[in-house]
Amino acid sequence: MSKITTVVFDIGKVLVGFDWQAYIGAKFDPDTVSHVNEAMWGGPNIWNEMDRGILNEDEILEEMISRDPAYKDEITSAFNDVGTCVTRTDFAIPWVEELKAKGYRVLFLSNYSQHVTKCNREALDFVDHMDGGVWSWTTGLVKPFHKIYWILLSKYDLSPDECVFVDDNPANIKAADHVGMKTILFEGYQTTHARLEELLDEDLAESDVQE
């Protein structure tokens, strides 16, 4: 069994908060919320195309507006201010630094669009503390497609079995399992931190026995 060298984090709903419903609910009345939600999230998932980096911001917004032109202004406002629903967590930087202090490389693999990245850079301040990672919008792919995991592994010359992957989406966890990475489903910071520490401690113990 290979010694774990690297912890790979998802970002949305793991290292940052993302509460679209609270954001949109505070911005509009209930009827407008329904229309805006349907235009932006209903039908084919246009956000995936933005996360993949296939369509640019203007193309994405144009498609959303075409679904409900009467709400053009509201859709545009919600889209332009979407960074407001991404919130900074107090634990992200300390968690990253804690792992690095123990000798682990810390990376990210995230379905994230360039648009949302630009909208709230403060919430992503922990990224500068990490050792690198892969944004989906730079690859033309999104999780859970297996190839995006291999892109990360190849970029950092990693073997899957030396990595632990942390994500809040079971489908993404299943894909990482298939690739051969160790995995932890994110279920809140306290619970996940404890599970990760347990896994890392077990790995160290096994490595010591093998030596």
Side-chain angles (χ1 to χ4, degrees):
M1 181 177 180
S2 298
K3 180 177 180 295
I4 295 169
T5 64
T6 306
V7 180
V8 183
F9 285 102
D10 175 39
I11 289 181
K13 297 185 179 180
V14 175
L15 295 182
V16 299
F18 186 88
D19 193 342
W20 171 263
Q21 292 304 327
Y23 159 69
I24 206 77
K27 194 173 182 68
F28 304 118
D29 64 81
D31 183 59
T32 301
V33 166
S34 178
H35 282 272
V36 173
N37 273 338
E38 184 61 25
M40 298 183 75
W41 298 96
N45 191 342
I46 196 70
W47 288 92
N48 272 348
E49 298 306 295
M50 192 160 66
D51 286 347
R52 290 172 61 207
I54 300 301
L55 300 178
N56 64 37
E57 295 170 27
D58 291 339
E59 291 169 325
I60 293 290
L61 182 56
E62 182 179 348
E63 167 61 24
M64 291 175 175
I65 291 170
S66 73
R67 297 174 176 183
D68 201 338
Y71 286 82
K72 175 182 177 179
D73 291 344
E74 291 82 0
I75 294 167
T76 301
S77 176
F79 180 79
N80 288 339
D81 295 336
V82 68
T84 306
C85 69
V86 180
T87 54
R88 186 182 185 276
T89 60
D90 293 333
F91 61 78
I93 290 176
W95 200 3
V96 170
E97 291 295 347
E98 175 188 348
L99 290 166
K100 290 176 65 175
K102 293 180 179 180
Y104 296 101
R105 174 185 278 174
V106 183
L107 304 173
F108 65 86
L109 179 61
S110 183
N111 289 355
Y112 224 92
S113 70
Q114 187 177 24
H115 172 64
V116 179
T117 302
K118 293 187 300 182
C119 284
N120 192 344
R121 295 188 184 278
E122 181 181 351
L124 301 172
D125 59 356
F126 59 87
V127 171
D128 291 337
H129 294 255
M130 303 176 88
D131 298 302
V134 170
W135 301 106
S136 62
W137 63 268
T138 67
T139 68
L141 299 165
V142 291
K143 297 174 292 182
F145 289 101
H146 295 167
K147 187 176 179 180
I148 195 171
Y149 297 86
W150 288 111
I151 288 173
L152 176 81
L153 294 168
S154 176
K155 181 178 180 178
Y156 294 98
D157 193 25
L158 293 166
S159 173
D161 61 1
E162 65 180 303
C163 301
V164 182
F165 178 64
V166 180
D167 197 298
D168 67 301
N169 187 322
N172 296 340
I173 289 292
K174 183 177 180 180
D177 280 330
H178 189 275
V179 167
M181 302 169 81
K182 301 172 181 67
T183 58
I184 297 177
L185 180 67
F186 184 82
E187 296 179 303
Y189 168 68
Q190 295 294 342
T191 297
T192 307
H193 182 277
R195 289 176 180 168
L196 179 59
E197 287 300 295
E198 182 179 4
L199 177 60
L200 296 176
D201 287 346
E202 289 176 355
D203 179 73
L204 284 173
E206 289 188 20
S207 297
D208 289 342
V209 170
Q210 291 175 3
E211 292 175 0

